[in-house]
Amino acid sequence: MSQKSLHLRLGTVVVLCALFLVFYAIPSFVFAPSNVGNIVLSPLFWPFVLAGLAGLVGAGLLASGVSSDDTPFEDADTGPSDGPAGWLRLLGLATIMVLVMVALPRLGMVWTSMLAFVACAFLFRTRHPMIAVICAIVVPLLLYAFFAHVAGVAIPQGHFVRLP
Amino acid sequence: MSLLDSLAAGFALVGNVEAFFMLFCGLIVGVVGGAIPGLSATMAVALTLPFTFAMTPINGILLLLGVYKGGIFGGSIPAILIKTPGTPASSATILDGHPLAERGEAGRALGMALYASCTADAVSNLALILFAGWLASFALNFGPPEFFALILFSLTIIAGVSGESLLRGALSALAGLLLATVGLDLIYGTNRFTFGDPNMMGGLNFIAVLIGLFAIPEIIAMAWNPVAHLGKTRALGKSRCSLADYLGSFKSIIRGSMIGVFLGSIPGIGAAPSAFLSYSEARRTSKNKANFGKGEIEGVAASEAGNNGVAGATLIPLLALGVPGDVITAIIIGAFMVHGLQPGPMMFVLNADIIYGLFIGLIVSSVFLLLVGSIAIRGFRFVADVPKRILMPGVLVLCIYGVFAVNNNIFDVGVMFVMGWLGYVMMRNRIPAAPFLIAFILGPLLEDNFRQSMLMSGSDPLILFRGPITWTFWTLTAITVVAITRSTLRQKVPLS
């Protein structure tokens, strides 16, 4: 990846986002009372200013992209050695995160964390599976003990197995 | 309250085993966190933050300051032993530290790094104690227009944390400012980007945003390439740093400390430029100039003094003006807010005991750092041997617990995950995360003070230029913008 391609790509995305904000998102999702006398006091003012600035930065990125040379970054990420498996692991991690959100209120934080720990350790191809399983049990329990009994946080317990 | 009264109140607050124990624990966590490449001092501070919720404000903040100071020193250990800086601030230490390690003198380099760090830390703390109170008493005269001008000036700090491209830094900051508008409007109470969800009416949780931006992307990066972190560690060797080494480098250490204090007290400069400036000054004036870059012990001393001199000084704008000096102090602001404290000039009036308690704790931290650092140098092998593919799932679990604990709200965990992916996309596209976080903190303050000024003046913008204080900040902002533009153009990379 070179600075030219990066800035052209970013600039295009940012300009489109700025246009989306100005013409759709801000008018639709920012509400202002009808009796605001001066525009600078309106709740709409600040988001519009920021969207305008974003448009300027996007234009700046495009201009910079056009004028930059196409030399790749010296430390550019060449990706993992195992090719498409990297993308699959990213998808796997995203799935784990979604499942964590679904499972937290149902299984409780401790059990969900244990499963997430094991899943992540194996997703990262750990060379120490036994240590990973032991840590997956011990770490969430220790954190539960601290947050529930020392910090007084009501850690979600779930519908099935409840901890003291 | 007189100075003696404040000092006595500070002593009363920290004069117990628990406070010093927290400081000590913080230093250990920081040194370990800084010593693990990829974890960094910033992430260590962010991950420790949730543990402070249950503590008294002084203990919690001392714990975080310990992590901060320990992390900055800890970063030098892998820089010297495996040529991988634990924190960006330790990058300059590699230049002479690693060649020394390759010659079998890693123990000498690490010893010098420790002594230089402790000396610079003490100098920096002294500067904080001397200048923060003075600056705060001056800032008591500020009204909304003055604060608006100050915060606008502070936003120029984004240039200092933008890394290789000012435009990408500005983009990151704008994203942070936009995200900060989510929630109920400050004056009229109408919805802004809440999509009717009550969870979003109070705005996005600061802790969820910061942990999402700084910790989760590292976990995602581990999924992308699980073997990227594997490296080769050097042995300590038998040589140790002698008194002669220390005295021979003393001038560079003191000069580096002063550079660190000066640059650290200006918001946004950070430790890495200070370390490189200190290193280049030491090389310029040293009689062993030719040895620099090949394993010169004075080079290690200068770079470590430069980066540790910043640690105390970044707290000057934080405590006196409520403006974070760098990204770690931006996280520490979170700890103040969680405990219902607002850093800034009024804190010197309302919470003088906490301020002076922190000062006392910081003085002690330099001594503790010497102790913890000595042990850490010997124990680094154990730290380096922690399998990162087990560490990162642990970090994920810690993040889930920590973010949930802020508001007892699962929604915040979701915010953290979303911010994590955003942070990862930013990382892959070389967009720095630090401007995002700083803008996210300063954004509401900027808007609030702007609108208050407009209300005060009946929407007359001239109020933003009233009096010498606002003029000073406007001038400083203009000078900074001109300097940034000039330096960018000089690098022949037009506004990039």
Side-chain angles (χ1 to χ4, degrees):
Chain A
M1 184 168 53
S2 65
Q3 174 148 301
K4 187 184 188 74
S5 64
L6 176 65
H7 279 201
L8 286 175
R9 198 172 60 199
L10 282 176
T12 311
V13 172
V14 173
V15 168
L16 289 175
C17 284
L19 291 173
F20 173 75
L21 280 167
V22 170
F23 292 109
Y24 180 72
I26 297 173
S28 305
F29 301 115
V30 179
F31 300 97
S34 53
N35 60 348
V36 181
N38 197 315
I39 179 69
V40 294
L41 292 175
S42 167
L44 290 162
F45 178 71
W46 201 244
F48 271 125
V49 167
L50 296 177
L53 287 173
L56 283 177
V57 168
L61 281 164
L62 283 173
S64 160
V66 168
S67 61
S68 301
D69 56 12
D70 214 5
T71 317
F73 289 112
E74 281 177 16
D75 55 342
D77 180 13
T78 51
S81 53
D82 50 0
W87 290 103
L88 287 176
R89 279 192 300 272
L90 286 187
L91 187 66
L93 188 60
T95 312
I96 290 172
M97 287 179 181
V98 172
L99 291 176
V100 164
M101 290 304 295
V102 174
L104 269 176
R106 293 166 180 82
L107 288 181
M109 190 168 276
V110 177
W111 309 112
T112 306
S113 302
M114 285 179 182
L115 294 173
F117 194 116
V118 171
C120 283
F122 284 97
L123 186 75
F124 300 158
R125 294 181 303 172
T126 178
R127 287 183 293 191
H128 311 277
M130 277 310 293
I131 298 175
V133 172
I134 294 167
C135 289
I137 296 166
V138 173
V139 171
L141 282 175
L142 285 177
L143 288 171
Y144 170 78
F146 175 80
F147 281 106
H149 297 291
V150 180
V153 177
I155 297 290
Q157 290 270 22
H159 305 316
F160 306 105
V161 187
R162 298 183 70 84
L163 290 168
Chain B
M1 207 189 268
S2 72
L3 179 68
L4 279 179
D5 290 337
S6 301
L7 266 175
F11 266 117
L13 212 56
V14 294
N16 56 69
V17 179
E18 201 182 344
F20 290 116
F21 179 71
M22 287 303 157
L23 184 63
F24 195 78
C25 287
L27 283 162
I28 294 172
V29 172
V31 170
V32 172
I36 299 174
L39 201 60
S40 84
T42 310
M43 199 155 126
V45 174
L47 292 175
T48 311
L49 182 54
F51 289 97
T52 66
F53 299 161
M55 298 175 189
T56 58
I58 187 79
N59 288 354
I61 295 163
L62 281 176
L63 179 75
L64 291 178
L65 290 177
V67 178
Y68 177 25
K69 284 172 179 286
I72 297 287
F73 163 69
S76 66
I77 301 177
I80 290 168
L81 292 181
I82 56 176
K83 208 181 175 183
T84 305
T87 59
S90 308
S91 307
T93 310
I94 290 180
L95 300 174
D96 280 292
H98 191 67
L100 276 166
E102 287 192 314
R103 286 205 316 243
E105 295 179 47
R108 186 171 169 230
L110 285 167
M112 177 55 86
L114 177 63
Y115 302 142
S117 296
C118 291
T119 310
D121 191 48
V123 171
S124 190
N125 291 337
L126 205 62
L128 167 70
I129 294 165
L130 289 174
F131 296 121
W134 171 79
L135 191 59
S137 60
F138 171 66
L140 278 172
N141 303 318
F142 288 13
E146 285 77 17
F147 271 113
F148 174 77
L150 165 68
I151 295 162
L152 198 66
F153 165 62
S154 305
L155 276 174
T156 58
I157 67 180
I158 281 158
V161 290
S162 288
E164 59 188 20
S165 167
L166 192 58
L167 273 173
R168 296 202 293 272
L171 172 62
S172 175
L174 277 171
L177 288 170
L178 262 170
L179 204 72
T181 61
V182 173
L184 294 182
D185 178 66
L186 302 165
I187 293 177
Y188 293 103
T190 53
N191 287 313
R192 294 206 296 195
F193 301 116
T194 58
F195 308 105
D197 188 338
N199 284 308
M200 293 177 75
M201 286 182 178
L204 296 179
N205 182 279
F206 167 73
I207 311 287
V209 172
L210 88 88
I211 291 184
L213 272 180
F214 286 93
I216 301 293
E218 296 297 331
I219 299 167
I220 301 173
M222 171 64 79
W224 175 244
N225 193 356
V227 291
H229 62 286
L230 300 176
K232 192 178 169 193
T233 310
R234 297 275 167 189
L236 279 183
K238 291 203 167 137
S239 64
R240 295 280 176 270
C241 178
S242 64
L243 184 63
D245 283 335
Y246 179 75
L247 291 176
S249 308
F250 191 70
K251 208 170 135 190
S252 288
I253 293 173
I254 294 299
R255 191 198 302 110
S257 309
M258 297 295 186
I259 290 172
V261 166
F262 180 69
L263 294 185
S265 57
I266 303 170
I269 305 279
S274 166
F276 278 105
L277 182 60
S278 168
Y279 179 83
S280 67
E281 276 303 298
R283 185 171 61 178
R284 196 175 61 81
T285 55
S286 173
K287 51 181 186 270
N288 299 325
K289 200 184 289 185
N291 281 345
F292 274 70
K294 297 172 191 163
E296 171 58 46
I297 196 77
E298 197 180 343
V300 176
S303 51
E304 279 301 302
N307 72 36
N308 277 274
V310 167
T314 50
L315 297 172
I316 296 175
L318 173 79
L319 292 177
L321 304 172
V323 170
D326 63 2
V327 69
I328 300 185
T329 44
I331 298 171
I332 293 174
I333 274 194
F336 280 91
M337 294 196 291
V338 163
H339 290 287
L341 301 167
Q342 182 63 49
M346 284 310 288
M347 201 174 159
F348 279 77
V349 179
L350 300 173
N351 306 100
D353 52 345
I354 292 181
I355 295 280
Y356 282 85
L358 287 178
F359 287 167
I360 294 161
L362 285 169
I363 293 168
V364 177
S365 72
S366 302
V367 183
F368 281 1
L369 179 61
L370 190 65
L371 191 65
V372 173
S374 309
I375 300 162
I377 289 171
R378 286 165 189 80
F380 176 73
R381 279 222 159 267
F382 302 107
V383 176
D385 286 344
V386 174
K388 227 180 149 199
R389 284 178 271 189
I390 290 180
L391 182 70
M392 283 300 160
V395 169
L396 178 72
V397 171
L398 184 54
C399 291
I400 295 172
Y401 274 84
V403 167
F404 174 82
V406 184
N407 287 330
N408 288 8
N409 192 350
I410 292 175
F411 178 80
D412 289 345
V413 179
V415 171
M416 174 189 74
F417 285 150
V418 172
M419 291 310 300
W421 283 98
L422 178 69
Y424 182 68
V425 170
M426 287 166 64
M427 185 202 269
R428 289 291 296 270
N429 286 293
R430 308 172 84 91
I431 301 170
F436 188 111
L437 184 70
I438 290 169
F440 186 75
I441 295 169
L442 294 180
L445 293 174
L446 188 72
E447 187 187 2
D448 198 17
N449 282 294
F450 173 76
R451 290 170 80 181
Q452 278 187 30
S453 305
M454 290 298 112
L455 280 172
M456 279 167 64
S457 67
S459 304
D460 180 4
L462 285 179
I463 194 171
L464 301 176
F465 300 92
R466 74 170 188 188
I469 299 171
T470 52
W471 274 107
T472 307
F473 288 125
W474 281 109
T475 311
L476 286 171
T477 307
I479 290 170
T480 313
V481 170
V482 169
I484 292 165
T485 313
R486 277 187 63 182
S487 74
T488 311
L489 290 174
R490 227 177 257 169
Q491 286 166 5
K492 292 185 181 175
V493 187
L495 277 176
S496 57

